[in-house]
Amino acid sequence: MSLACGLPLLECVYCLACARWAWKRCLHSGDRDSATWGLASADDFAPVPRLCRLIMANYDHHPCAPLDARCVVRRRTYADTRGRVTPYLLYLDHLHSDIVLALRGLNLARETDYALLLDNRLGKRRFDGGYVHNGLLRAAAWVLDAECDLLRDLLAHHPDYTLTFTGHSLGAGIAAMLTVVVVLNLDKLGTNLHRSRIRCYAMAPARCMSLNLAIRYADVINSVVLQDDFLPRTATPLEDIFKSILCLPCLLCFRCLRDTCIPEDAMLKDPRRLYVPGRIYHIVERKMFRCGRYPPVVKTAVPVDGRFEHIVLSCNATMDHAIIWIEREAQKALDLMLEKEKTMEVPSEQRMERNESLQREHVEEHKAALRRAVTLSVPDARSPSAYGTFGEQPERSESFPSASAMARQRMSWNDLIERVFDRDESGHIVLRSSPSP
C-alpha cells in the first residue's frame, strides 16, 4: 500500500523536473545570450554587410549587386574543387584596400558538402594545443595549396592591403581554419605579412575549434550570429545531429536537446568540445514575448562561459541562418550606427580618440577572457599575451617549421599541418608522430 502511495509522488517530482527543464531550455530567448555584452562600434562592424554580398556572389542566383568583374581575381566552382571545398572567389577590393577570399555555405543538394561536414568525431584532430574540426581543416589546406602562390603575389603587389577570409555556415568554418593556419605560418605568404593584416569574418559559423583556440584567436577571427541562428547553438557535435536525422530512434529521444542538459562547467572542461570561433557579434532584433522585429542592435564580446550553449526553439531559427537575412539585418544595424554617429556630430579628432579607446578596450577584454578561461580551468588555456591585432607583433608560434627549413624542402599545406607540434600532459612540446585519437 505504501509503495502504491509513493508512485504518484514520484510522478509529480518527475513532471516538475521535466517542466523545469523545458522552462530553462525551451523558453530561452536568443537575446538573453548577449544581454550583458557591450555595443559594437560602426567601424568594427562596417565590413560585415559588404562581405556578406561577396559571399552571396558565389551563388548562381544571388540578390546582391553584380561585382566588378575586373576585381574578381579567381573564381572556383564545384567542378574546380572536386568536392574538396565549397565554391569560393578571390576578390581585390581596391576601395577598402582589402584582399578577400569568400566561401559559400553548405549546399543541401551536394553530398560532398555533407561528407566534408561529417569528416570529424569528438577529439579526432588535435591542433596547436587544442582541437579543431578535421574536415574543415583539410578543406582549408586544399584552398591554401591551390591559392598560396596567388595570395603571396597579391600581398607583395599590395603591401598596404589587408587579407580577409570570410564565409557563411560551412564556408565560415573553413575561413576560420584558413585564418588559424595562415597566422601560424605567416612567412609562407610573404616576409612583410604581419598578424595585424589578417582578419576573418565568419557568418553563422559552424563550431570548428575548442574553447582555448576560440579565445586565443579572438583578435583576428570575428563571428557574426543573427538572433536565434540554430547552427552556432549546437552543443552536440554537428556531425552527430546529421546522423541522428537519419535515425528514427534518435529523433524520438530528442538527443540533441538532451545533450544540452550537460552542466556548463562540464562543457567548459571538456577540451574536445568545439565552439564558435573568435569574437562574436550578435545581431539582436527580436525579444521574448514581443511580436515582430525592431531595429537591430549589435552586441559584441569575447565570451568564455555561455558561448551560445542554449538551444532556442524558434520558428525563425532557420531563417536567421540564411545569408540573405544576415546581410539585410547587418546593413540595417550599420545604417543605424552611422546615423547615430552623424546625429551626435562627433568631431574627427574625438572620433579618432574614441577609436583608440575602443582598441584598448578590445585588448583588455581579450586579456580578461584569457584570464577567465584560466580561472575556469579550461584545458590548454594560456595566460594573456600581447593582443595580436592591436598590440605588438607576437612571437612566432612553435607549431610550424621555420621559413629556412621550408625553403630547403617544399611541402604542401596539408603536410605542413600534419607536422604541427603538440603538448603532452606535462606541458612539454612534442612532435606528433601519429594521428591523434
Side-chain angles (χ1 to χ4, degrees):
M1 182 68 180
S2 59
L3 180 61
C5 294
L7 288 177
L9 180 61
L10 293 175
E11 292 179 355
C12 292
V13 172
Y14 181 77
C15 291
L16 288 175
C18 292
R20 180 177 178 273
W21 174 87
W23 177 263
K24 291 183 64 177
R25 301 293 177 179
C26 299
L27 296 182
H28 185 88
S29 178
D31 64 283
R32 292 175 56 187
D33 289 318
S34 58
T36 59
W37 298 4
L39 295 176
S41 65
D43 291 337
D44 292 338
F45 193 71
V48 174
R50 169 173 57 89
L51 295 177
C52 285
R53 289 188 284 270
L54 285 177
I55 296 171
M56 287 191 288
N58 287 293
Y59 294 81
D60 296 333
H61 304 285
H62 56 86
C64 63
L67 302 178
D68 187 351
R70 296 170 297 178
C71 296
V72 178
V73 181
R74 180 165 294 173
R75 185 189 295 269
R76 297 286 191 180
T77 63
Y78 278 108
D80 300 319
T81 63
R82 300 187 300 276
R84 304 291 183 85
V85 68
T86 56
Y88 61 89
L89 63 86
L90 195 56
Y91 189 78
L92 198 57
D93 192 343
H94 296 288
L95 181 61
H96 300 91
S97 300
D98 197 8
I99 303 170
V100 184
L101 196 154
L103 301 99
R104 68 157 288 167
L106 175 71
N107 188 342
L108 297 176
R110 288 279 178 172
E111 66 278 1
T112 55
D113 286 2
Y114 292 101
L116 178 64
L117 190 63
L118 298 177
D119 182 16
N120 190 54
R121 65 175 183 273
L122 198 62
K124 181 177 181 178
R125 175 55 72 99
R126 187 170 175 82
F127 183 81
D128 192 32
Y131 291 88
V132 296
H133 191 287
N134 183 65
L136 301 182
L137 184 62
R138 292 177 64 87
W142 191 94
V143 174
L144 289 173
D145 276 332
E147 311 299 342
C148 178
D149 294 336
L150 180 57
L151 287 174
R152 187 191 302 111
D153 293 340
L154 291 175
L155 290 169
H157 285 91
H158 305 281
D160 297 330
Y161 282 27
T162 56
L163 175 60
T164 301
F165 299 105
T166 186
H168 170 245
S169 187
L170 181 63
I174 300 173
M177 292 292 97
L178 282 167
T179 307
V180 172
V181 175
V182 170
V183 166
L184 284 173
N185 195 31
L186 297 174
D187 292 345
K188 197 169 185 183
L189 289 181
T191 57
N192 63 337
L193 182 61
H194 302 288
R195 183 171 176 144
S196 58
R197 293 180 59 190
I198 301 174
R199 59 182 181 175
C200 171
Y201 284 88
M203 316 298 176
R207 292 176 174 244
C208 58
M209 63 182 65
S210 55
L211 184 59
N212 61 326
L213 296 180
I215 300 173
R216 193 186 309 162
Y217 292 97
D219 59 327
V220 290
I221 300 179
N222 306 281
S223 295
V224 180
V225 180
L226 175 60
Q227 191 67 30
D228 300 335
D229 188 359
F230 70 94
L231 191 56
R233 304 176 186 276
T234 52
T236 304
L238 198 59
E239 62 274 6
D240 290 347
I241 293 179
F242 277 87
K243 292 176 183 177
S244 66
I245 293 176
L246 305 178
C247 179
L248 182 60
C250 288
L251 279 177
L252 295 177
C253 72
F254 295 100
R255 178 182 178 185
C256 301
L257 292 179
R258 188 183 72 241
D259 285 352
T260 61
C261 295
I262 301 175
E264 190 172 282
D265 292 341
M267 287 184 177
L268 291 174
K269 294 181 180 180
D270 185 356
R272 304 168 301 170
R273 188 171 295 276
L274 304 183
Y275 288 81
V276 175
R279 169 178 290 275
I280 299 178
Y281 289 90
H282 190 202
I283 306 175
V284 180
E285 36 81 37
R286 295 190 305 274
K287 288 193 175 182
M288 192 69 172
F289 304 120
R290 186 177 295 182
C291 298
R293 300 171 181 262
Y294 72 100
V297 176
V298 183
K299 303 287 191 71
T300 182
V302 185
V304 180
D305 42 352
R307 188 177 273 254
F308 292 106
E309 292 296 346
H310 299 281
I311 289 182
V312 179
L313 298 182
S314 169
C315 59
N316 297 303
T318 55
M319 181 185 298
D320 292 338
H321 184 69
I323 184 66
I324 296 178
W325 280 102
I326 296 176
E327 189 274 335
R328 290 180 182 178
E329 297 301 326
Q331 187 62 57
K332 290 180 183 178
L334 180 60
D335 292 340
L336 291 175
M337 294 179 189
L338 296 176
E339 183 179 354
K340 183 178 180 181
E341 289 186 357
K342 184 178 180 180
T343 303
M344 295 174 63
E345 294 183 354
V346 181
S348 58
E349 183 176 352
Q350 294 184 9
R351 186 181 295 109
M352 292 177 60
E353 294 177 355
R354 175 55 182 165
N355 291 336
E356 293 178 357
S357 65
L358 285 174
Q359 291 178 355
R360 289 193 296 269
E361 290 173 5
H362 284 177
V363 173
E364 295 301 324
E365 185 180 16
H366 185 255
K367 291 181 178 179
L370 290 171
R371 288 192 293 266
R372 175 66 172 165
V374 175
T375 303
L376 293 175
S377 300
V378 175
D380 298 316
R382 302 176 185 174
S383 300
S385 57
Y387 198 49
T389 298
F390 304 105
E392 296 178 357
Q393 178 66 14
E395 295 181 359
R396 183 178 178 81
S397 172
E398 72 278 0
S399 298
F400 287 91
S402 62
S404 59
M406 288 174 49
R408 294 190 299 267
Q409 179 184 3
R410 179 176 177 82
M411 62 178 65
S412 66
W413 282 89
N414 194 43
D415 295 335
L416 195 64
I417 290 173
E418 293 298 334
R419 294 187 57 180
V420 171
F421 288 90
D422 279 337
R423 295 180 181 270
D424 57 14
E425 295 180 356
S426 60
H428 300 292
I429 300 175
V430 295
L431 180 63
R432 183 174 62 191
S433 58
S434 60
S436 301

